[in-house]
Amino acid sequence: MTALLRSELLKQRSTRTNLWLFSAMLGLVALVILLHGFGLSAEILGRRTSQLEVLGQGQRLGTLFAALLGAMSITVEFRHGTIRPTFLATPRRGRVVAAKVGVSMLVGVPFGLMAAAVAAGVGSASLAARGLEIRLDGGDYALLLVGSAAGAGLWAAIGVGLGALVRNQVPTVVGICTWLLLVEGLLFGDIGLGNVGRFLPGSLAKAASGQDPMTLLAPGLAAVLLALYAAAAAAAGWAATTRRDVA
Amino acid sequence: MGVSNSVVRVSSLTKRYGRATAIDDLTFSLDSGTLTGFLGPNGAGKSTTLRLLLGLAEPTAGEALVFGRRYRDLDDPASQVGAVLESNDFHPGRSGRDHLRALALAARIPRVRVEEVLEFVQLAKAADRLVGTYSLGMRQRLGLAAALLGDPELLILDEPANGLDPAGVHWLRTFMRRFASQGGTVLLASHVLAEVAQTVDRVLIIHCGRIVAAAGLGELAERGGTLEDAYLELTAMEAS
């Protein structure tokens, strides 16, 4: 299994895809935080919950990009046909999915960590620049970083599972973006499925980093439930990959 | 043909996709040291047969065995079977060397072997370039390098000469003959009958999912006419 993990790690390192994803993510985080940090009124930004929500935008984007890198670790192989030589080298295909889950989680964690760190840095600097008092303590920052790293790692595994199920790159990527950016927001916010919404995987990643503690679940519980989602997605991808033919 | 030393043994192999039958009760075997051409019109079932042999697809009925086992049950498949199925199974943004290194890692093949096969297929100088910049002939050679990584005893090649220049075609033919003369086994799927006639010992002709001929080139010649004559006659029949 170590050999297979090294093979998958080399695959992720040897193209520019992840570097591109990482740069795009950091750029977007900085942009979104600056827009919020300077766009919102001083009255709103003075509140602790708003500050937590603004800095939490890093976690949202870290989660999204980690999910995309996980999904693309497998859809890119179907897209370019490298899945054939991959499965010829490792005909027990479930092991390939397992290695992709492992490596994507490994790469996903620093995605989540860096997104949260940049958000915390840029966000705090924006607040300071406007002369607003920062109402977050060390514990809040630590939970943002750790929770974001964990959420991104687990969503990377979800991405691999979805990619293995769908196989086709564009629908997988569009599906993940739509779900995380749109669907959960609608279900949770506008349509008002609050009680159900907080059990959905995007909200769990948010909760794991300590955001919106009045409505969302406690961070520890959220992380455990998100891990169950990740395990289920990986298992579904594993089963589909083992059973279905490769063209 | 002795069944016991068959490198490839396909028995009553059938593959259906929904109501369409791609492969219909196929039976054949390949002995070690033979170089066999696998011929048939587009859609005859050549690629499906190769995928079933290599464990990429599951048969509806029957079995396809390599070295007496299903491909996925081989302990060390890369050291037994090497295959090139498509000429473009590469990530365009990855270098040729990294493509081979990732496969070598997965198959537990030492890194020095990557350099050996790169030299062998004459890609050592282009190895650090991205595959997206390779010509079709270079991609074919990179695919062959990947197939040779584990120093296999059986080669399964689908149109390997596609895109090669005349010198490349000559090199490939010489390589396949030497491989077989040293006890290796080759299954060569192709449309290029003139090239096949110059290269192989025997042919399997498949039409509408069934084997319509399995014969040595000599036997076909005794019936009179060229390989092309025989092929056109056999594949003109409507499948029952």
Side-chain angles (χ1 to χ4, degrees):
Chain A
M1 199 65 205
T2 317
L4 214 47
L5 286 169
R6 288 179 64 202
S7 172
E8 288 300 328
L9 194 59
L10 176 62
K11 283 182 197 168
Q12 296 222 359
R13 283 197 296 117
S14 58
T15 72
R16 293 207 180 137
T17 309
N18 281 0
L19 187 64
W20 189 89
L21 283 174
F22 194 66
S23 315
M25 175 189 76
L26 292 187
L28 270 175
V29 169
L31 179 70
V32 167
I33 299 295
L34 285 174
L35 285 176
H36 280 81
F38 287 98
L40 294 173
S41 72
E43 189 196 344
I44 292 175
L45 271 183
R47 295 185 206 130
R48 183 185 133 80
T49 46
S50 308
Q51 293 183 357
L52 209 50
E53 194 161 321
V54 170
L55 267 58
Q57 297 298 319
Q59 173 274 323
R60 280 187 74 186
L61 288 163
T63 296
L64 173 67
F65 278 83
L68 294 180
L69 91 85
M72 286 173 73
S73 76
I74 190 153
T75 56
V76 100
E77 293 226 41
F78 281 99
R79 180 169 173 210
H80 292 299
T82 52
I83 199 71
R84 283 181 281 267
T86 292
F87 285 161
L88 291 182
T90 313
R92 288 165 190 134
R93 299 180 213 158
R95 294 164 53 90
V96 174
V97 177
K100 283 187 187 297
V101 167
V103 167
S104 296
M105 289 181 77
L106 195 70
V107 182
V109 163
F111 266 62
L113 193 64
M114 283 305 292
V118 168
V122 174
S124 307
S126 309
L127 293 175
R130 292 181 63 181
L132 294 165
E133 187 191 347
I134 295 173
R135 298 182 186 277
L136 307 175
D137 59 23
D140 293 325
Y141 281 104
L143 194 53
L144 270 178
L145 294 180
V146 173
S148 175
L154 292 169
W155 259 96
I158 294 176
V160 175
L162 293 174
L165 280 172
V166 179
R167 292 190 171 184
N168 196 334
Q169 180 148 299
V170 174
T172 311
V173 166
V174 171
I176 288 172
C177 289
T178 310
W179 181 266
L180 278 177
L181 297 178
L182 215 63
V183 177
E184 273 206 40
L186 284 177
L187 285 180
F188 190 52
D190 303 345
I191 305 178
L193 293 172
N195 280 330
V196 182
R198 59 190 180 151
F199 291 102
L200 295 175
S203 299
L204 290 174
K206 200 173 165 188
S209 65
Q211 298 172 68
D212 209 354
M214 302 303 283
T215 3
L216 295 178
L217 300 176
L221 176 61
V224 170
L225 291 180
L226 188 59
L228 292 179
Y229 271 102
W238 181 87
T241 305
T242 318
R243 294 201 175 95
R244 278 159 67 192
D245 288 356
V246 176
Chain B
M1 283 186 291
V3 170
S4 55
N5 69 341
S6 291
V7 174
V8 170
R9 201 170 75 233
V10 169
S11 336
S12 308
L13 189 67
T14 301
K15 179 69 174 176
R16 290 190 201 96
Y17 294 100
R19 288 163 69 192
T21 303
I23 297 291
D24 190 5
D25 199 25
L26 217 63
T27 298
F28 68 87
S29 61
L30 306 178
D31 290 345
S32 66
T34 56
L35 214 166
T36 305
F38 192 32
L39 312 176
N42 292 327
K46 296 193 297 292
S47 294
T48 305
T49 306
L50 301 188
R51 279 163 174 69
L52 291 167
L53 259 177
L54 294 166
L56 293 175
E58 276 297 299
T60 310
E63 60 182 8
L65 303 180
V66 285
F67 300 99
R69 300 160 84 172
R70 291 185 306 171
Y71 184 88
R72 75 156 71 131
D73 294 331
L74 296 173
D75 294 322
D76 187 7
S79 74
Q80 295 187 281
V81 186
V84 182
L85 290 178
E86 303 276 341
S87 54
N88 202 18
D89 283 347
F90 311 104
H91 191 299
R94 184 177 286 131
S95 74
R97 178 177 276 118
D98 281 341
H99 175 78
L100 295 177
R101 280 186 57 207
L103 292 174
L105 278 170
R108 298 164 177 278
I109 292 164
R111 192 169 167 176
V112 61
R113 181 66 185 155
V114 169
E115 304 307 317
E116 282 176 21
V117 294
L118 280 168
E119 285 287 341
F120 184 71
V121 302
Q122 298 158 19
L123 278 178
K125 281 192 189 124
D128 286 324
R129 276 169 48 192
L130 301 183
V131 176
T133 69
Y134 283 18
S135 68
L136 179 55
M138 291 168 84
R139 288 169 205 224
Q140 287 286 12
R141 283 185 277 143
L142 183 59
L144 189 63
L148 294 175
L149 268 177
D151 196 13
E153 300 159 56
L154 166 66
L155 278 177
I156 294 177
L157 307 173
D158 199 351
E159 299 286 359
N162 190 14
L164 293 181
D165 59 21
V169 172
H170 176 78
W171 173 86
L172 179 67
R173 187 192 311 138
T174 311
F175 161 73
M176 287 191 288
R177 283 210 183 124
R178 195 174 56 228
F179 184 84
S181 73
Q182 290 168 350
T185 308
V186 183
L187 183 59
L188 169 67
S190 180
H191 279 130
V192 190
L193 297 179
E195 177 52 35
V196 169
Q198 282 190 69
T199 310
V200 305
D201 314 316
R202 47 194 296 273
V203 291
L204 290 170
I205 302 179
I206 184 174
H207 182 45
C208 297
R210 295 180 169 201
I211 297 281
V212 291
L217 279 184
E219 296 166 56
L220 283 179
E222 280 167 25
R223 292 192 207 169
T226 61
L227 173 60
E228 187 176 55
D229 295 334
Y231 173 88
L232 291 175
E233 188 189 324
L234 288 162
T235 56
M237 300 181 299
E238 279 302 314
S240 53

